Amino acid sequence: MYKIKTYNKISVKGLDRFDRSKYEVASDINSPDGYILRSHKLHDEALPESVKAVARAGAGTNNVPVAEYSKKGVVVFNAPGANANAVKELVLSGMLLGSRGIIPGMNWAQSLTDMTDAAEMSALMEKQKSNFAGSELTGKTLGIVGLGAIGSLIADTALALGMKVIGYDPALSVEAAWRLPSQVARAENLQSLLARCDYVTLHVPAIEATHHLINEESLKSVKEGAVLLNFAREAIVDAAAVVQSLDAKKLRMYICDFPEPILLGRDDVYAMPHIGASTAEAEENCAIMGADQLMDYLENGNIRNSVNFPAVQMERSGPGARITFCNDNVSGVLGHVLSVLADNSVNVVDMVNKSRGDIAYNIIDVEQAPADDVVAAIKAVEHVITVRVI
């Protein structure tokens, strides 16, 4: 029986993926094999030795101490793309709010509580509506920084609206490139994109390389009157630099999902309370993806959508057993493990070995389950971190 500890409120549709004949799932559970969580911060919590994997039901994993878990051989999964449509729709809403006088117009209309004559109010509306005039998105240029699952969806939508689209992503994968419409132009660098775009939307992960990617220096290149949208992560933008640019009338508006004290009380800032993925559909999709990945790893050793381990999948090779182990990514470890198996007459049927950064991961199918002393011998191989027999 596998044990799964939940944090936060996880969608029932995700939790229902766990077969209760094989899984015990609860928020209060001893010696869990895995965690599934949303935004709960794990940095200050002791990690039980029983934990083998963590599934984050969302895209970002800044609430998980990934580097620490990697050293302990704990796989960390996320759910890339599961909330992409929800974020895409909110970005579109942000662009529309930033292009028209929607919010100030509605606030003004709601302030007319002393008027009782409908005809008089209608006449006033006709007289004052020019104060809330805006511009259309069609024909404008949108810059997308980060062309993953969300960025590519936004590119599709913007093109359908008649916008021009420029993309910038120094870490663009081949898979992501195939998803992109051919009409998306490529910027050579961030400064080039900022200088050419009427709207700029950010969709990169919050990592050391992207910390304050938008800062005082980069904003010197921004096109005058541009609207900046940040529905990615707070740390990507230096809020003080944005306020400085707004005060200088370089940026026209900043629309984000991350309110900060310095941004409040300004008419040129629309700050939402981190609702980018807050739809019932997105929460369900993220929970389902997280649960499925966690189960496949615990039951089969397969890894999909991990942020710290390589992607490794292998079909089962008959009725035998499966050995999985991770190790420091140095030469000779796999050879030593295979020697242990050969010395103990454990026949290997199939295997796969992949590495990512400092971590290597291996799946080995064998004809029969190895004895405990064989497993102990594998664990004793230098640089082996964890071993499982499934």
Side-chain angles (χ1 to χ4, degrees):
M1 178 74 74
Y2 294 109
K3 296 181 179 181
I4 305 298
K5 183 172 183 176
T6 65
Y7 290 91
N8 311 114
K9 184 179 179 181
I10 305 298
S11 167
V12 173
K13 288 192 175 181
L15 298 182
D16 283 347
R17 308 288 283 194
F18 293 106
D19 183 344
R20 292 309 194 270
S21 68
K22 294 190 289 185
Y23 289 87
E24 181 183 350
V25 182
S27 59
D28 184 13
I29 199 166
N30 294 321
S31 301
D33 294 285
Y35 292 160
I36 185 167
L37 73 159
R38 290 173 61 198
S39 58
H40 180 83
K41 289 181 170 57
L42 294 172
H43 290 273
D44 298 325
E45 296 195 10
L47 180 72
E49 290 186 6
S50 60
V51 173
K52 303 169 182 65
V54 174
R56 161 76 167 95
T61 54
N62 53 323
N63 57 322
V64 182
V66 176
E68 175 190 336
Y69 285 13
S70 297
K71 294 176 183 177
K72 297 178 179 180
V74 175
V75 181
V76 180
F77 298 100
N78 69 345
N83 60 11
N85 190 71
V87 178
K88 177 205 76 174
E89 291 185 1
L90 196 61
V91 171
L92 176 59
S93 301
M95 287 197 293
L96 291 168
L97 291 175
S99 66
R100 306 287 292 271
I102 297 170
I103 290 180
M106 290 193 301
N107 289 340
W108 174 75
Q110 289 289 339
S111 73
L112 305 176
T113 54
D114 58 336
M115 298 189 70
T116 58
D117 188 302
E120 181 184 357
M121 180 176 286
S122 179
L124 182 62
M125 296 289 173
E126 289 301 314
K127 181 179 179 181
Q128 297 294 330
K129 68 181 182 180
S130 61
N131 292 331
F132 309 107
S135 60
E136 298 179 10
L137 295 177
T138 299
K140 303 301 188 297
T141 300
L142 171 65
I144 303 175
V145 181
L147 296 165
I150 297 171
S152 60
L153 284 180
I154 292 170
D156 285 333
T157 302
L159 290 168
L161 290 171
M163 301 183 78
K164 301 172 185 175
V165 179
I166 300 174
Y168 171 66
D169 190 338
L172 184 66
S173 67
V174 173
E175 181 182 354
W178 277 108
R179 285 199 303 263
L180 280 177
S182 59
Q183 302 96 312
V184 176
R186 179 187 173 191
E188 293 298 324
N189 51 58
L190 178 62
Q191 286 71 24
S192 171
L193 181 143
L194 292 173
R196 299 157 61 189
C197 296
D198 305 294
Y199 297 83
V200 176
T201 183
L202 309 173
H203 300 286
V204 293
I207 57 178
E208 184 177 351
T210 62
H211 181 75
H212 285 184
L213 181 70
I214 301 298
N215 53 43
E216 183 178 355
E217 184 63 29
S218 61
L219 285 171
K220 290 178 182 177
S221 301
V222 77
K223 181 178 180 179
E224 187 170 335
V227 175
L228 176 65
L229 302 104
N230 179 18
F231 290 86
R233 280 290 181 267
E234 179 180 356
I236 295 166
V237 171
D238 181 350
V242 166
V243 168
Q244 183 180 347
S245 184
L246 290 168
D247 287 341
K249 305 301 180 186
K250 281 282 283 180
L251 277 177
R252 180 169 62 82
M253 290 197 74
Y254 179 49
I255 302 171
C256 69
D257 212 13
F258 314 98
E260 297 183 56
I262 196 173
L263 299 173
L264 303 183
R266 299 185 63 102
D267 293 336
D268 50 8
V269 174
Y270 293 162
M272 303 174 197
H274 200 184
I275 58 174
S278 295
T279 67
E281 296 88 347
E283 291 179 8
E284 289 173 1
N285 292 339
C286 288
I288 289 170
M289 184 179 287
D292 286 351
Q293 292 167 174
L294 201 51
M295 288 189 295
D296 196 18
Y297 177 68
L298 292 175
E299 296 179 29
N300 300 303
N302 292 326
I303 297 177
R304 293 174 294 151
N305 296 322
S306 171
V307 300
N308 62 338
F309 272 61
V312 183
Q313 298 179 64
M314 189 171 79
E315 293 291 329
R316 288 276 192 166
S317 302
R322 171 163 287 189
I323 302 169
T324 71
F325 70 93
C326 70
N327 57 274
D328 298 323
N329 188 19
V330 296
S331 62
V333 178
L334 177 58
H336 286 146
V337 171
L338 292 175
S339 295
V340 169
L341 296 176
D343 291 344
N344 289 274
S345 301
V346 178
N347 188 43
V348 173
V349 179
D350 200 359
M351 62 174 289
V352 62
N353 163 265
K354 294 284 183 69
S355 64
R356 178 176 178 175
D358 295 331
I359 290 287
Y361 181 73
N362 311 264
I363 299 176
I364 302 176
D365 281 354
V366 293
E367 284 187 345
Q368 70 278 345
D372 290 345
D373 60 332
V374 176
V375 177
I378 295 174
K379 289 180 180 178
V381 172
E382 187 178 8
H383 297 295
V384 167
I385 301 170
T386 61
V387 180
R388 295 173 62 213
V389 178
I390 306 171

